[in-house]
Amino acid sequence: MDTIQIKLSIFNGGNLTQNEVMNLRAFINQIQSPFGYRYCDYLDQRKDGSIGVKISYPRYWGNSNAFLIRSNIQTREVNKHFCESLKNHFLLRNSYISLERVDIPFTYYMENSFDFNSHSNIYKILGEVHKKKKPKGVQKTYGELLSNKHETIIYSDTKTLSGYNSKLMIYNQYQNLLSKTAEGDEIEVLLNNFEDLKGRIRIEASKRIRRNCFTNFEFSTFDILAEYLPSFKKEVFTNFLNFKIIDQIYEEKKCLLINLLKEQKALGNFNYEVIILRNASHIYDYEILRRAFNIFIENKKTRESAVTRVRKILNKYSEKENIIVMDIYSILEDIAECVEKYYIIDYTFGWL
């Protein structure tokens, strides 16, 4: 669990003075957890007199979004504390709370020998699935211009990112925090407190929420993670980690590769290394190439020899470009297992 965005109704909110607005902003921004961490951000004032607020569950516990929330016990405590805090402000103590956005992230750990950009074939396959499931959506990548390295991948159900109803963002959490941290000392503190930070790939699902508002008491007892986790996981497994569609994509890529090989062979001067390296960015997984060779080359010994040569070519390409091209399907399965098992939902504990 990461952040949520809510709308708070304000008592007599339509007639707020400038001083009251400034007071509300200061109050929200100063709400502290029992550990002394500020975890709320005042966002804006709305035309109906309500205000927008962002709540960070990780910052409640660890003063940073680098802290990993892993259970609904943690999120329930945050909701309770937040609602108790609202009682201390005369304009907020009887406010109604409307959920506007919920973000639920999962954390996958890279192998030490690879970086975030090394997983670009993973992002491409997820993009292919998303394109089939959400044809009116969009897949975008953000990174460094000169190095052409990915830092953030966004899949949205609408062409306009700001107007999304649901989206998935995959990002390098270390680089993400680095871009938001002004002082080098702060990053050193983060790395000392969260030693695994540089190895994290964050897979963050986000949804706009439309439901009836909560009273203060209702939200204080609302088990938000247990409520939304099942639907968020379903979204990920339906529109991204959908192995029925992934298998279909592998077959489609196999057929395209077979046709390419046939075309090149017909032209003469057939060279596996030239063909593979020229099309390496479109060969998401060695497995696709192996399947293509099983059909393209009928002679078993010739096929085995060709597969060995191509495997060596792809290994050299992978080492040179630091791009994963082997066992991509297995990595996708590992990520799926991570999403399935990442959070612990406890229904047995009593109210805090």
Side-chain angles (χ1 to χ4, degrees):
M1 194 75 188
D2 194 29
T3 61
I4 62 171
Q5 182 174 311
I6 63 172
K7 180 177 77 172
L8 285 177
S9 64
I10 307 298
F11 175 72
N12 199 27
N15 299 310
L16 289 177
T17 66
Q18 189 62 31
N19 284 339
E20 287 174 328
V21 172
M22 292 175 62
N23 179 270
L24 283 168
R25 180 185 291 110
F27 176 81
I28 293 295
N29 289 337
Q30 292 297 321
I31 294 177
Q32 292 187 9
S33 73
F35 313 106
Y37 305 139
R38 287 182 281 196
Y39 63 97
C40 299
D41 296 302
Y42 177 97
L43 297 177
D44 51 27
Q45 182 185 9
R46 312 294 173 79
K47 291 181 180 179
D48 62 0
S50 61
I51 61 172
V53 175
K54 182 173 73 174
I55 300 174
S56 169
Y57 291 90
R59 281 165 46 198
Y60 175 96
W61 293 95
N63 199 34
S64 168
N65 284 334
F67 183 91
L68 299 179
I69 298 294
R70 299 300 296 268
S71 81
N72 61 328
I73 297 177
Q74 293 168 305
T75 57
R76 287 182 66 166
E77 179 172 323
V78 177
N79 283 7
K80 182 174 185 292
H81 184 272
F82 175 73
C83 291
E84 288 295 323
S85 299
L86 294 185
K87 295 178 182 179
N88 295 322
H89 197 289
F90 75 100
L91 290 175
L92 298 174
R93 62 174 60 122
N94 294 316
S95 59
Y96 287 88
I97 300 169
S98 299
L99 266 177
E100 295 184 325
R101 194 196 77 234
V102 172
D103 300 338
I104 299 182
F106 307 88
T107 301
Y108 177 77
Y109 289 96
M110 300 177 270
E111 292 185 23
N112 292 334
S113 57
F114 295 110
D115 60 22
F116 182 83
N117 193 67
S118 301
H119 297 73
S120 59
N121 285 327
I122 297 289
Y123 315 140
K124 290 176 182 178
I125 291 173
L126 297 181
E128 296 265 9
V129 177
H130 182 256
K131 187 175 181 179
K132 288 180 180 293
K133 295 298 293 185
K134 300 287 184 178
K136 294 183 179 181
V138 69
Q139 305 83 33
K140 288 185 176 291
T141 178
Y142 300 91
E144 295 181 357
L145 176 63
L146 297 181
S147 66
N148 196 31
K149 288 192 173 183
H150 304 301
E151 290 182 5
T152 301
I153 319 293
I154 298 178
Y155 312 92
S156 171
D157 64 345
T158 59
K159 298 292 184 183
T160 305
L161 293 181
S162 60
Y164 77 91
N165 293 303
S166 64
K167 71 176 181 181
L168 190 79
M169 185 164 69
I170 304 178
Y171 58 93
N172 181 329
Q173 191 175 29
Y174 171 69
Q175 289 295 333
N176 181 270
L177 291 171
L178 190 62
S179 67
K180 299 175 182 177
T181 304
E183 302 294 334
D185 291 344
E186 293 180 44
I187 284 294
E188 288 301 317
V189 170
L190 283 175
L191 291 173
N192 288 334
N193 291 337
F194 307 100
E195 295 179 356
D196 62 355
L197 182 58
K198 286 189 175 181
R200 297 181 188 176
I201 293 178
R202 290 281 270 187
I203 303 166
E204 183 175 292
S206 180
K207 281 188 178 184
R208 305 284 190 189
I209 305 299
R210 295 176 179 84
R211 62 181 296 161
N212 292 334
C213 60
F214 298 85
T215 65
N216 186 296
F217 174 76
E218 287 170 340
F219 194 74
S220 72
T221 59
F222 181 49
D223 196 341
I224 189 169
L225 183 57
E227 173 74 15
Y228 285 110
L229 181 61
S231 64
F232 274 58
K233 286 166 62 174
K234 182 179 179 180
E235 174 86 12
V236 173
F237 286 122
T238 299
N239 298 321
F240 300 96
L241 291 167
N242 186 325
F243 283 90
K244 182 177 179 179
I245 296 179
I246 290 172
D247 288 336
Q248 179 184 334
I249 291 167
Y250 270 57
E251 286 301 300
E252 290 173 356
K253 296 297 180 184
K254 178 199 74 175
C255 293
L256 288 173
L257 186 55
I258 290 171
N259 291 335
L260 174 65
L261 291 168
K262 288 179 178 178
E263 290 173 5
Q264 293 298 312
K265 188 174 183 179
L267 292 173
N269 195 25
F270 190 76
N271 186 306
Y272 285 123
E273 184 168 4
V274 172
I275 295 171
I276 299 306
L277 293 180
R278 187 177 294 166
N279 296 277
S281 62
H282 302 290
I283 302 173
Y284 300 158
D285 191 347
Y286 162 76
E287 173 62 20
I288 294 171
L289 196 148
R290 189 191 66 79
R291 292 183 190 182
F293 274 29
N294 280 342
I295 296 175
F296 178 69
I297 305 174
E298 295 181 358
N299 184 278
K300 183 178 179 181
K301 287 187 177 180
T302 304
R303 182 169 62 243
E304 289 175 349
S305 176
V307 166
T308 300
R309 285 178 58 197
V310 166
R311 189 178 181 93
K312 288 179 180 178
I313 293 168
L314 284 179
N315 277 326
K316 287 181 180 179
Y317 169 81
S318 176
E319 185 177 347
K320 179 183 177 182
E321 302 295 333
N322 198 29
I323 299 294
I324 304 172
V325 293
M326 298 292 183
D327 301 321
I328 293 293
Y329 198 95
S330 295
I331 295 174
L332 287 165
E333 290 178 323
D334 290 342
I335 294 173
E337 184 177 10
C338 170
V339 171
E340 181 61 44
K341 298 180 179 179
Y342 189 75
Y343 289 102
I344 299 172
I345 303 298
D346 190 339
Y347 297 101
T348 63
F349 64 92
W351 180 236
L352 298 167

